[in-house]
Amino acid sequence: MAITPKLDLVVLDCPDALELGRFYGALLGYELEEGADRAWVNLVPPGGGVSKDNPDGRATLAFQRIDDYVAPTWPGGAHPQQFHLDLSVPAIDAAEPRILELGGRVHEHQPSEEGSFRVYLDPAGHPFCLVQG
């Protein structure tokens, strides 16, 4: 019988794992796992992450400090984006103030002509999108 993997952990490089973990924890309502520090942070999603005791858990978001971290550039540039997170919200305009309050910012480049998504940068410079869902 073939085994189908389950997405367990998504890790983002950054200059300060604790700072970025706090940003996404507050934004998503995830808890910082005990032992979080500037080098490594796991965020525990509501209902818990994937584990032997919780095989139907949700994917965990984690952050690791990289000493020579360079923020990705988008769209294009010397350090191109490798991937980004899309976060679904009922209304982009209603969700945006929380992102700005937490230290995120609106990206200058907005490719959506119909307004179905908006691009932001987190405090470490990673692009992410709010998608109206």
Side-chain angles (χ1 to χ4, degrees), residues 4 11 20 25 34 45-46 52-53 58 84 86 88 93 101 103 107 112 119 133:
T4 302
V11 183
L20 205 55
E34 189 174 327
K52 185 176 181 178
D53 297 330
R58 296 171 61 191
H84 69 273
D86 281 354
S88 179
D93 288 339
E101 173 187 317
H107 196 288
S112 175
V119 183

Side-chain angles (χ1 to χ4, degrees), residues 12-24 36-41 63-67 69 123-124 126:
L12 297 175
D13 294 346
C14 60
D16 185 328
L18 196 54
E19 176 187 31
L20 205 55
R22 286 180 176 148
F23 172 82
Y24 280 105
D37 59 28
R38 292 188 65 227
W40 183 269
V41 170
F63 308 92
Q64 67 180 349
R65 182 182 71 221
I66 302 297
D67 290 332
Y69 173 79
H126 299 106

